Amino acid sequence: MTFEVHTMAIEIPLSSPSEEWGITIATYLFMGALAGGAYLTGYISKVWSEHDPKQNNFHRVTTQFGFLIGLIGTLLSGLLIISHLGAPLRAILFPITFSNITWTTIGAWVFGLFGLLISIQLIWNVFGQDYSSTSVSKKVRWMTTQLKLTSLLDRVSTATRPSRKYQLAIGAVGALFALAVMGYTGMAIASIDTVPLWDRTLIPILFVASGISIGIGIVLSFTVAVTELNQTPLHAYGALNSIAIISQIGVITWLWLRISDVPGGRESIELLTTDYQLLFFGGVLGVGLLVPLFGYVGLVAVAKRNIFDRVTSIHIRYGYITLFGFVVVGGLALRITMILAGVHEPLVLA
């Protein structure tokens, strides 16, 4: 969709950046958020397991899923952004070929170091003499066995794995990188300061909160699907996700008010309420935020067995999987909406 701004006798076409930044970039932003959020969820569960040994199997599975999904998300986000560039080889050799510090080079370094930290954490938790045997580690080890890498990775893990204290310390560094990755996905578009919708202050905050929701959503969906239902940590993750959801609602409301009277911002709001109203109100606000938020409250109430006596744990299980899945879908819809509804400020010629 294009807009025309009339300044005196000069007609200036005003186009959306989505003409160049399409679904590929939106998916790249989503994968970056997924990677950071998944790792953060895994690390939280790793720390939690140290203080709650009764729930160790649930935490081990969540930790391993978090690190595995985080690594996959990092790899996919890298492939997506490289495929979008005109010189993929130059991007791959970014430490050598990039001489100027830009958001592209910053992002490349952040993603590269983050991927290294995730790989180390995954190797320590899935391989070696003292690895945690779960359904996740068995599947990963089966895949590496097909590639004839299991023995090598076991030796590397055993030789390099530090004490639990230092594992948690290194994991904390990874958690900081996870926050940086999620924040970077916001700054990647917010650095273009001619698009009011892509507010430099609010978009990074929104993307961090959304990334936390996405990470919890996708990791816990897999955990709940393959482990015995454990309502104590499950409700806690639901509560944490609710906080992230409320934060997103607050930031979106603030952003809406902030750009409503700004040239370029008005056009973005027009797009959100017309062309993309189903995607925004239905996908982002409805499926991604409001339904999960009220759904978590309902599931906690149902789990107390004070409302429906016939409700069994299987209903709670599938309820959480559904709500967590909605959060993930909503996170993708958010990034697609942000790309499609972005409109440049009018260009005023003297």
Side-chain angles (χ1 to χ4, degrees):
M1 181 175 183
T2 59
F3 300 93
E4 292 183 349
V5 178
H6 297 271
T7 304
M8 299 180 65
I10 302 176
E11 184 178 282
I12 305 173
L14 188 60
S15 61
S16 168
S18 64
E19 294 178 2
E20 297 181 4
W21 286 20
I23 302 301
T24 300
I25 295 300
T27 307
Y28 155 68
L29 298 175
F30 170 77
M31 285 298 173
L34 179 147
Y39 176 88
L40 199 59
T41 303
Y43 178 69
I44 290 172
S45 199
K46 178 76 173 177
V47 174
W48 196 347
S49 67
E50 296 294 322
H51 304 283
D52 189 14
K54 294 181 180 179
Q55 319 291 351
N56 259 344
N57 184 61
F58 186 94
H59 292 313
R60 280 197 299 265
V61 172
T62 303
T63 296
Q64 292 173 354
F65 266 133
F67 295 158
L68 177 61
I69 295 172
L71 180 59
I72 293 172
T74 302
L75 294 175
L76 289 178
S77 63
L79 291 174
L80 283 168
I81 194 61
I82 288 173
S83 67
H84 186 77
L85 297 176
L89 181 59
R90 185 169 179 263
I92 293 173
L93 299 175
F94 66 88
I96 301 172
T97 56
F98 285 133
S99 57
N100 297 323
I101 298 178
T102 65
W103 279 109
T104 302
T105 57
I106 292 173
W109 278 101
V110 169
F111 271 97
L113 293 173
F114 183 52
L116 177 61
L117 287 169
I118 298 178
S119 300
I120 292 171
Q121 293 287 334
L122 185 63
I123 290 172
W124 286 343
N125 282 271
V126 174
F127 299 96
Q129 294 178 349
D130 301 322
Y131 78 91
S132 300
S133 180
T134 66
S135 57
V136 186
S137 61
K138 289 177 182 177
K139 292 293 184 182
V140 174
R141 291 175 67 85
W142 178 85
M143 288 188 290
T144 56
T145 298
Q146 307 310 306
L147 299 172
K148 303 186 184 303
L149 293 174
T150 302
S151 178
L152 172 62
L153 292 174
D154 278 337
R155 292 196 299 271
V156 170
S157 178
T158 300
T160 62
R161 184 192 290 124
S163 65
R164 290 183 177 180
K165 177 182 177 180
Y166 287 107
Q167 282 189 57
L168 293 178
I170 295 172
V173 175
L176 293 176
F177 270 90
L179 292 171
V181 163
M182 292 185 287
Y184 166 76
T185 60
M187 285 305 303
I189 63 173
S191 60
I192 302 177
D193 55 10
T194 59
V195 180
L197 181 64
W198 299 350
D199 186 273
R200 185 183 292 268
T201 301
L202 297 180
I203 289 298
I205 297 173
L206 176 62
F207 277 21
V208 169
S210 174
I212 293 172
S213 282
I214 293 170
I216 293 174
I218 194 164
V219 172
L220 268 295
S221 293
F222 282 101
T223 299
V224 172
V226 303
T227 61
E228 294 183 4
L229 188 66
N230 198 318
Q231 294 189 22
T232 300
L234 197 52
H235 293 336
Y237 278 113
L240 180 59
N241 211 337
S242 296
I243 294 172
I245 287 173
I246 293 171
S247 300
Q248 291 175 71
I249 294 173
V251 174
I252 289 173
T253 302
W254 188 1
L255 179 62
W256 186 286
L257 296 173
R258 191 164 181 166
I259 69 172
S260 60
D261 293 324
V262 176
R266 288 191 295 266
E267 288 76 12
S268 288
I269 290 179
E270 181 185 344
L271 285 173
L272 293 174
T273 55
T274 55
D275 293 28
Y276 306 124
Q277 60 178 322
L278 181 60
L279 183 62
F280 179 64
F281 291 105
V284 178
L285 295 181
V287 171
L289 299 175
L290 296 178
V291 172
L293 180 61
F294 290 107
Y296 292 143
V297 176
L299 280 177
V300 171
V302 169
K304 298 298 183 180
R305 307 283 183 135
N306 294 328
I307 299 179
F308 303 111
D309 292 336
R310 296 182 180 180
V311 173
T312 62
S313 61
I314 193 68
H315 297 95
I316 304 296
R317 180 190 302 273
Y318 287 124
Y320 267 111
I321 291 174
T322 301
L323 294 178
F324 283 137
F326 281 176
V327 168
V328 176
V329 172
L332 177 58
L334 172 65
R335 284 151 183 82
I336 293 174
T337 301
M338 288 293 110
I339 293 296
L340 295 181
V343 177
H344 286 289
E345 294 176 345
L347 178 61
V348 179
L349 298 180

